[in-house]
Amino acid sequence: MSHPAEQSRFALNRVFVVSLFLVAAFGAWGLIDPQAMSGASLGFTNFVLTSIGWYWLLITTGFVILAGFLAFGPYGRVKLGEDDEEPEFSTVSWIAMLFAGGMGAGLIFWGVAEPLYHFREPPGMPGETAEAARVAFTLTNLHWGLHAWSIYGICAMVIAYFTFRKKKKPLISTPIEALFPGVGGQRLGQVANILGVFAVVFGLAGSLTMGALQIRAGLGELLGTPLNIGMSLGIMAVMYATYMTSTAVGVDRGIKLLSNINMVVAVLMVVFIAVFGPTAFIFETLVDSFGSYFTQLPGLAFHLLPFEGLQEWTASWTLTYMIWWLAWGPFVGIFIARISRGRTIREFCAGVILVPTVFSLFWFAVLGGAGVFIELFGGGGIAELVSQDVSRAFFVFLEFFPLGQLLGFVALFLIFIFLVTSADSGSFVLSMMTSDGKLNPPLPYKLVWGTLVAVLTVATLLSGSVEVAKAMAVTGAIPFSVVLLLQVVGFLRTIRSERGGVRVRTPGATARSMNK
């Protein structure tokens, strides 16, 4: 029989080599024939979304329900670490890092665009009315609220629990191996790790593509630069050099510093728009949209619109978002787990789910509220632009405010750093996943995965389509959903069997537990 260390290296080799080969092959396909790759991604995702839409909505709504149970149920006081362990990062830095890694650039891309899109073309009703505006914010909040952050939170909590409390490896396979002990569980775990790598790489490539297209559009609006593929590739080259440098520095310095800077700038910008925009209208929109979202959430969580014949709309928007968050689940989950050591489950749920949800709703109320105000009572024209070129909408919107051009450059800075942070975090997580769960993976792994993400992003950029980017982002998540369900079952079974996990903790209790 082989030595356990040799088995570990073999398992590592298998996950790394198979993942590397498959991702590289897909990237090469995209570079050689981008239209064929784009068509395959669009066709695959459209088929899955329209044929089993009920499955995706049930899964993601189940994550919201489970998060509520874990936060307020009997396991809320369980620590993601030793009983007397203190958090590694301050609360402010912790929230900034998880938020920047989770969806920072997406908020800028869709902050104005999505509410205006639904305002102009709401599902099943006339557009550009007062009721259409209310529906627009409710739908936007559904897509960016509790569902998204509950998915992230559960994915992260499972990994953090097994890593810091059970002293296991921070791998997607760990809870699955706990559920299926033995050789069969190990092999299933290796498949899960490979599927997780796919979900992360494709999710990152889709998001980086949309971000690069928005930066290109912003440069075109502010500086008159050309809107061609050469410009997109130049932006990606600068982004690649930046995030690889940050990756080499590490989490404690690179990601933490960038995240803190970006959160401060993002908050200042949204406050500026709230103060110098239609302030009263914005805060009325905030209160109204909060109320509509939370009162309608139980129904919306199971709303598929089959009787209206709007399954394609649901697939294109609600279900695409839900699978998108599932695609980012392993990446954001492992990254959030890495920075959440020492938090209780209740504290974790508050920081990872509630705080970002409230901020997201505030963000859309400010940006989307100001956008709807311009459409109803101002010059208008932004909603039409959203339908034509969504990547330009945010920069045209900023021109309605004082110091609009300066705000445009600030927005470019935010988008760029958010994307760098996401790519940095993603390269770090991919390296962890393929280096047998090392919390500080070797630099060569980061370089390999950072480069492959860039290659796949370039392949997606060659299509020049936001729809293709969205399809790419969700492609990897479709097979990974089964892995997530197995992870949750393994986590619930393990935490349920943990004796004393919900007791009041004292140093003596901790010592007795360690001596068992």
Side-chain angles (χ1 to χ4, degrees):
M1 294 180 64
S2 58
H3 191 272
E6 295 177 357
Q7 293 178 343
S8 176
R9 283 195 296 272
F10 177 70
L12 161 67
N13 215 14
R14 179 180 296 172
V15 172
F16 179 75
V17 171
V18 173
S19 302
L20 187 66
F21 174 77
L22 293 176
V23 172
F26 208 95
W29 181 26
L31 292 176
I32 295 169
D33 193 351
Q35 297 306 317
M37 185 200 72
S38 302
S41 296
L42 284 169
F44 176 62
T45 55
N46 287 338
F47 171 77
V48 172
L49 288 171
T50 54
S51 59
I52 53 171
W54 54 270
Y55 169 75
W56 304 110
L57 200 58
L58 284 178
I59 286 180
T60 52
T61 297
F63 276 93
V64 178
I65 297 170
L66 177 60
F69 167 74
L70 291 171
F72 301 107
Y75 306 123
R77 293 164 63 188
V78 174
K79 266 202 174 181
L80 302 175
E82 298 289 346
D83 290 337
D84 55 355
E85 195 167 356
E86 295 299 321
E88 181 179 359
F89 298 98
S90 70
T91 300
V92 173
S93 292
W94 175 55
I95 291 175
M97 283 191 285
L98 69 90
F99 193 80
M103 60 178 65
L107 286 177
I108 298 177
F109 193 94
W110 295 105
V112 176
E114 184 166 347
L116 287 182
Y117 185 95
H118 300 319
F119 169 67
R120 192 167 188 258
E121 301 179 27
M125 61 184 299
E128 301 185 3
T129 65
E131 186 57 30
R134 184 167 288 108
V135 168
F137 283 99
T138 303
L139 290 173
T140 301
N141 291 337
L142 171 67
H143 298 158
W144 293 83
L146 289 174
H147 278 74
W149 288 102
S150 293
I151 292 169
Y152 286 171
I154 296 300
C155 290
M157 188 187 305
V158 169
I159 298 298
Y161 174 81
F162 279 97
T163 303
F164 301 125
R165 189 162 186 86
K166 294 300 182 182
K167 308 303 180 187
K168 304 291 185 180
K169 295 175 181 178
L171 293 170
I172 289 169
S173 58
T174 298
I176 295 175
E177 291 177 5
L179 185 63
F180 301 106
V183 176
Q186 292 175 2
R187 292 176 178 172
L188 184 61
Q190 290 171 10
V191 174
N193 287 333
I194 293 169
L195 290 176
V197 169
F198 251 70
V200 173
V201 169
F202 280 78
L204 271 175
S207 297
L208 291 178
T209 299
M210 282 191 287
L213 291 175
Q214 192 177 29
I215 291 175
R216 186 184 75 176
L219 290 173
E221 288 290 326
L222 297 171
L223 301 176
T225 54
L227 304 178
N228 54 31
I229 187 62
M231 194 68 193
S232 299
L233 296 180
I235 292 167
M236 187 59 214
V238 175
M239 195 185 307
Y240 171 74
T242 307
Y243 76 69
M244 292 308 293
T245 301
S246 178
T247 297
V249 172
V251 174
D252 293 337
R253 290 178 290 171
I255 299 176
K256 178 181 176 181
L257 177 62
L258 291 175
S259 300
N260 287 341
I261 291 173
N262 236 30
M263 280 306 299
V264 171
V265 176
V267 169
L268 289 176
M269 186 176 74
V270 77
V271 169
F272 180 90
I273 292 173
V275 171
F276 290 95
T279 306
F281 184 87
I282 285 172
F283 280 95
E284 288 167 0
T285 300
L286 175 65
V287 174
D288 190 282
S289 63
F290 260 69
S292 296
Y293 170 61
F294 284 109
T295 55
Q296 296 181 47
L297 182 60
L300 290 172
F302 300 94
H303 205 46
L304 285 170
L305 304 176
F307 307 117
E308 296 85 351
L310 294 172
Q311 293 94 329
E312 288 190 7
W313 184 95
T314 306
S316 299
W317 283 98
T318 301
L319 298 181
T320 294
Y321 268 119
M322 298 306 160
I323 303 180
W324 196 343
W325 306 138
L326 289 173
W328 276 56
F331 149 45
V332 179
I334 291 178
F335 177 71
I336 292 176
R338 167 66 179 82
I339 63 176
S340 299
R341 187 171 192 162
R343 308 274 174 183
T344 65
I345 287 180
R346 185 166 295 127
E347 180 185 11
F348 179 91
C349 289
V352 174
I353 300 173
L354 291 182
V355 172
T357 294
V358 170
F359 185 82
S360 297
L361 268 59
F362 174 71
W363 181 276
F364 282 104
V366 173
L367 299 183
V372 169
F373 182 88
I374 292 170
E375 292 297 312
L376 290 175
F377 310 109
I382 304 176
E384 184 177 356
L385 178 62
V386 168
S387 300
Q388 297 172 355
D389 186 357
V390 65
S391 58
R392 290 180 53 209
F394 186 67
F395 297 97
V396 174
F397 163 79
L398 293 176
E399 295 174 3
F400 286 85
F401 295 88
L403 306 174
Q405 190 170 34
L406 176 61
L407 285 176
F409 284 109
V410 171
L412 282 177
F413 172 81
L414 278 174
I415 297 166
F416 184 80
I417 301 301
F418 270 135
L419 291 172
V420 166
T421 307
S422 295
D424 185 352
S425 309
S427 300
F428 181 88
V429 167
L430 287 166
S431 302
M432 285 178 58
M433 292 166 67
T434 55
S435 64
D436 207 27
K438 289 184 173 62
L439 290 176
N440 293 296
L443 180 59
Y445 282 77
K446 300 177 188 177
L447 297 176
V448 167
W449 288 115
T451 301
L452 278 177
V453 167
V455 169
L456 200 56
T457 302
V458 168
T460 313
L461 278 171
L462 292 175
S463 72
S465 170
V466 172
E467 292 304 314
V468 172
K470 290 170 69 175
M472 285 294 295
V474 305
T475 297
I478 291 172
F480 187 71
S481 63
V482 178
V483 174
L484 288 176
L485 294 177
L486 291 176
Q487 281 187 308
V488 168
V489 173
F491 165 72
L492 291 176
R493 178 177 291 184
T494 304
I495 197 172
R496 185 180 178 184
S497 65
E498 180 187 335
R499 295 189 178 185
V502 297
R503 296 175 185 170
V504 177
R505 291 163 184 75
T506 63
T510 303
R512 288 192 298 273
S513 176
M514 293 177 64
N515 290 331
K516 285 183 179 181

